[in-house]
Amino acid sequence: MLDDILRSRRDTRHFTDEPVPDEVLEKALRAGHMAPTVGLTDATQYYVIKNKEVKQEIKKLFQKYNQKASDLIENETQRDAYTALKLEAIVDAPLGLVVGYDRSVLNTFTIGTIASNDTIRFSAVCAVQNIWLSLTEQGYGMGWVSILDHYQFKKLIALPEEVEPLGYFCIGKPATDYGHQPMLQQQGWKQKSAAPTVTEVKKVNRSTYPAFEQSLNKPIENELLEEQIQLIIDRKTKPAGALGILETLALQMGKVFKTTSPEIKHPHLVVFAADHGIAQHGVSAYPQEVTGQMVKNFTEGGAAINVFCKQHSISLNIVDAGVNYDFPPNLPIINHKMGRGTRSFLHGPAMSADQVQTCLFKGSEVTNSLFRAGCNTIGFGEMGISNTSTAAVLMSLLCKYPIEQCTGKGTGVAGENLDKKLLILNQAIQNYTGSREPLAIMAHFGGFEILQIAGAMLQAKQNDMLLLVDGFISTVAFLCAYKMEPKVKSNAVFCHLSDETGHRLLLQYLDAQPLLQLKMRLGEGTGCAIAYPLLKSATSFLNEMASFDSAGISDKDQ
C-alpha cells in the first residue's frame, strides 16, 4: 500500500476547482506534524491561503523569477518545453499552503543542531513529504513553487521575521494523472532514471589538507634600499613631502617589491564568500540566501566590484569559502567550500581548530596561484550575510573592546533590531568559556571567508606582494593575520575608512592610516578597487617624474 502511494505521488500542477475539505487538510497537516523534528523543537510552521487576491500577488512574484529561470535554459528545445508548461496552479488550486521553520528556536541550545543549523530546515522538509504522501493517499495532490523572491514573499504574506518559508504549495484535486509518470517526463523535459544511484563506501579516506605554516623568518629588511628609495623621492622636482601619502605609498611599495622602481603587475582582487550560522538568529536585515545570490551576481558582472575592477583593469576572482548554496561547477568560482556556512557561535563553536588551519591553508593557496601567474598586488573583499556580527565579536575579543563599540548596522539593521543584534552578540560572548588565545577565539567565533582571507594575506607577505585591505570585515581578517604574524602589516595598504561602526577604532588599534574616507560600507573589496589609482599614481611619480638633477632645476639646498 505504501509503495503504491509513493509511486503515485506527483508534483501536481493541474487542478480541478473542487474545494479541499477541511478534514483532508487537517489529516495532512497532522501527518506533517508527525514528521521528525530536530531536538523536538516544533519549529515547523504552517500558513493556509485561500484568498484570491493573495494568490494573484504570489503569482506576480513567481512570474518575475520564472522569466529568469527561462532565460537561463540554454537548450532551445528545453526552453520551449519549459515556457509551454501550464503554470496557473498558484491561482487555480483551491488551497495554498506555506511551510516554513522558526529559526528563533536556535536562540536557546537545540540538540541536534551543533553540527549544522540546517537541521531545523530539514525537519520542515520531512514535514512537507509527509503532507504530500497524506494528500496522495486521500486522492489529492500538491505542487511545490520554489521560484519566488524570498524577501518579497515574506513581506507579501507578513511572515514573522524569524520564520523562513520553504516555498509555496498548491493543494487540490489533480486534474490529470500525467500518464502515471512525473509531469516533466510526460512533457518531454527529460526521463527520470530507472533506479537510484548507489555507491558503496569501502574504505576510510584519510586525505587531509596540510596545516598552514608561517615562514616569515626572512633576512632583516634592507635599510640601504629604504634610504635609496627615500632619496629618489626627495630629489623629485617638488618640495620634500609635497605629495603626502603618495610618497609614503611609493616608499612602501619599493620596500615590498624590493626595488627602487616598483611596478604593479597583474593586479587581482579576490572576493571570499561564506555564510554564518549566527544569521539564524536574525542579526541581519537580509536573509542568508542573499550571499549565494550575490555570488552569482559577481559571476554575471552585475555588482559594484565588477564595475570598479573593469574600470581599473583589475582581474576579479570569486572564492566560495563556505556559502550555503551549491553552485554549478561551470561557474567561474574557486571552490574552497568548508561547509554550508559556519555553525552558530551563540551556544557553541563556529568551527573546529582543524577548520581554522584548513581555512588558512586554502587562503594561502589562492594567493600562491595568483603569485605564480605573475601577480604582485592583491586586494581582498568579502561577501557573507551576518559577517559584520562575526567580525564585531572577533574585534571585541581580539582587541579587548566592548562589543557595543564594535557593532554597527551592517546591512541596515537599526532601532530595535540593532538592540536585538547587540543582545545576541553579548550573550554569545558571555557564553564563551574557552581560551583567550587568538586561534581559539578565531575557531569559536570566526567565519570561513574571514580566515581564508587571513591566510591569503599571510601568504602575500611571504611572497613579497602588496596586499590591499578593504573595509571593516577585511580589516578584521587582517587583524586575525596580524595576531598570528605582526610583520604582515608592512605589506598592507588600508584602502578606506568604512562607515561601519568599529572600523575607525580598529584602524586606530592597528595604527593604520586609510587612504580614503567616502562613507562606504558595501564590502566586496570596493574600497580596494577605488583606491587602486592612488597606488598607480605613487609608482608613476616615483618612476617617471623628473628629479632636480635630470631637469637641471636648483633645489633649496643649492
Side-chain angles (χ1 to χ4, degrees):
M1 180 64 177
L2 176 60
D3 193 57
D4 293 336
I5 295 172
L6 291 171
R7 288 179 184 275
S8 59
R9 188 201 66 77
R10 294 283 172 263
D11 186 12
T12 306
R13 297 294 180 185
H14 302 76
F15 297 92
T16 70
D17 57 4
E18 180 180 329
V20 178
D22 290 344
E23 57 269 23
V24 170
L25 178 62
E26 289 171 5
K27 183 177 180 180
L29 293 181
R30 283 199 303 271
H33 190 61
M34 287 187 282
T37 172
V38 64
L40 295 179
T41 55
D42 281 339
T44 306
Q45 305 286 317
Y46 306 99
Y47 300 84
V48 176
I49 297 173
K50 300 178 182 179
N51 183 278
K52 290 183 178 180
E53 183 183 0
V54 176
K55 292 179 183 178
Q56 287 287 358
E57 291 302 313
I58 292 173
K59 179 185 174 184
K60 290 178 184 178
L61 281 182
F62 165 77
Q63 287 174 325
K64 290 180 181 179
Y65 265 61
N66 188 54
Q67 184 59 53
K68 288 186 178 182
S70 177
D71 293 341
L72 290 172
I73 300 172
E74 297 180 359
N75 183 289
E76 187 174 347
T77 301
Q78 281 195 327
R79 185 167 58 250
D80 290 343
Y82 180 84
T83 54
L85 294 175
K86 178 178 172 62
L87 299 169
E88 298 297 319
I90 295 173
V91 176
D92 287 355
L95 190 63
L97 177 69
V98 177
V99 181
Y101 58 94
D102 182 355
R103 53 180 167 75
S104 70
V105 300
L106 296 170
N107 288 343
T108 55
F109 173 69
T110 301
I111 191 168
T113 64
I114 190 64
S116 172
N117 289 327
D118 280 340
T119 47
I120 58 169
R121 176 167 56 180
F122 300 157
S123 294
V125 173
C126 290
V128 167
Q129 180 71 335
N130 275 17
I131 293 168
W132 226 324
L133 294 174
S134 175
L135 288 169
T136 301
E137 187 266 337
Q138 297 180 79
Y140 290 82
M142 186 165 78
W144 190 333
V145 180
S146 59
I147 308 176
L148 292 167
D149 182 306
H150 178 100
Y151 184 67
Q152 293 298 327
F153 182 55
K154 282 188 65 171
K155 288 177 61 177
L156 177 65
I157 60 175
L159 282 186
E161 190 273 333
E162 65 275 8
V163 174
E164 305 297 342
L166 294 178
Y168 179 82
F169 298 88
C170 308
I171 297 175
K173 201 77 167 178
T176 174
D177 61 11
Y178 304 111
H180 301 290
Q181 59 185 314
M183 183 189 71
L184 291 178
Q185 182 169 301
Q186 183 203 41
Q187 298 280 347
W189 178 258
K190 64 183 298 186
Q191 293 291 310
K192 185 177 178 67
S193 58
T197 301
V198 181
T199 303
E200 181 184 356
V201 178
K202 297 182 178 180
K203 63 179 182 179
V204 175
N205 180 12
R206 300 191 183 280
S207 61
T208 59
Y209 285 94
F212 177 75
E213 295 182 4
Q214 299 176 57
S215 303
L216 298 182
N217 296 321
K218 290 190 167 188
I220 297 173
E221 298 290 339
N222 186 340
E223 294 182 5
L224 180 60
L225 174 63
E226 181 176 351
E227 292 177 4
Q228 291 172 331
I229 299 168
Q230 189 62 58
L231 180 61
I232 293 172
I233 293 172
D234 292 342
R235 295 297 298 166
K236 295 299 181 181
T237 51
K238 59 170 182 60
L243 286 176
I245 299 298
L246 292 182
E247 296 188 20
T248 306
L249 277 176
L251 177 61
Q252 180 185 12
M253 295 167 75
K255 290 169 63 179
V256 169
F257 298 148
K258 293 180 169 47
T259 175
T260 57
S261 303
E263 293 181 43
I264 294 175
K265 299 177 181 178
H266 306 291
H268 280 254
L269 196 144
V270 187
V271 178
F272 290 77
D275 278 305
H276 298 252
I278 197 67
Q280 297 281 2
H281 304 283
V283 294
S284 174
Y286 288 90
Q288 195 175 74
E289 286 80 357
V290 171
T291 304
Q293 292 167 359
M294 280 303 300
V295 169
K296 287 189 285 186
N297 193 29
F298 296 149
T299 67
E300 294 165 0
I305 191 58
N306 297 98
V307 174
F308 297 141
C309 282
K310 181 179 179 181
Q311 178 186 10
H312 300 304
S313 300
I314 302 171
S315 298
L316 179 63
N317 302 86
I318 311 300
V319 177
D320 175 6
V323 180
N324 189 14
Y325 186 87
D326 293 315
F327 298 104
N330 61 353
L331 288 182
I333 297 173
I334 299 171
N335 183 12
H336 280 183
K337 189 187 287 288
M338 295 291 300
R340 297 175 68 92
T342 56
R343 299 185 291 274
S344 169
F345 55 68
L346 182 58
H347 298 290
M351 64 181 81
S352 67
D354 287 344
Q355 284 179 312
V356 171
Q357 291 298 319
T358 303
C359 279
L360 296 172
F361 175 76
K362 287 191 172 189
S364 71
E365 280 191 321
V366 173
T367 296
N368 276 334
S369 66
L370 298 180
F371 178 69
R372 288 191 292 267
C375 170
N376 72 353
T377 301
I378 179 170
F380 296 97
E382 43 61 43
M383 178 63 216
I385 293 300
S386 296
N387 61 6
T388 55
S389 294
T390 298
V393 176
L394 287 173
M395 175 186 167
S396 175
L397 292 174
L398 293 175
C399 299
K400 299 180 180 178
Y401 289 142
I403 187 64
E404 290 79 7
Q405 295 181 26
C406 309
T407 306
K409 53 191 173 184
T411 53
V413 177
E416 291 182 0
N417 288 332
L418 180 57
D419 293 340
K420 176 183 175 183
K421 177 179 178 178
L422 271 170
L423 183 67
I424 289 171
L425 299 187
N426 256 314
Q427 186 62 56
I429 292 172
Q430 292 171 17
N431 289 345
Y432 180 61
T433 58
S435 167
R436 295 291 162 164
E437 290 297 313
L439 283 174
I441 291 171
M442 292 175 205
H444 195 95
F445 295 101
F448 292 143
E449 83 280 33
I450 291 174
L451 290 176
Q452 288 195 28
I453 292 173
M457 288 177 168
L458 288 169
Q459 192 61 50
K461 168 62 180 175
Q462 173 66 17
N463 295 348
D464 295 326
M465 301 169 74
L466 194 69
L467 62 97
L468 312 182
V469 185
D470 188 38
F472 179 57
I473 314 297
S474 293
T475 308
V476 169
F478 175 84
L479 173 67
C480 293
Y482 178 79
K483 286 293 181 178
M484 287 181 275
E485 177 47 73
K487 293 178 183 177
V488 71
K489 186 181 173 187
S490 63
N491 291 54
V493 175
F494 297 86
C495 294
H496 78 116
L497 173 62
S498 169
D499 205 33
E500 178 67 18
T501 301
H503 195 214
R504 184 187 298 274
L505 185 62
L506 180 54
L507 290 174
Q508 290 173 356
Y509 177 87
L510 294 167
D511 191 22
Q513 179 68 43
L515 296 182
L516 301 170
Q517 183 175 352
L518 300 175
K519 295 188 176 181
M520 294 168 51
R521 55 181 182 86
L522 178 60
E524 303 177 7
T526 48
C528 299
I530 290 174
Y532 177 73
L534 297 178
L535 307 180
K536 294 290 289 182
S537 295
T539 58
S540 293
F541 99 76
L542 182 61
N543 294 327
E544 301 173 26
M545 186 177 176
S547 67
F548 286 111
D549 298 327
S550 66
I553 298 174
S554 298
D555 66 15
K556 67 178 182 178
D557 295 327
Q558 293 181 327

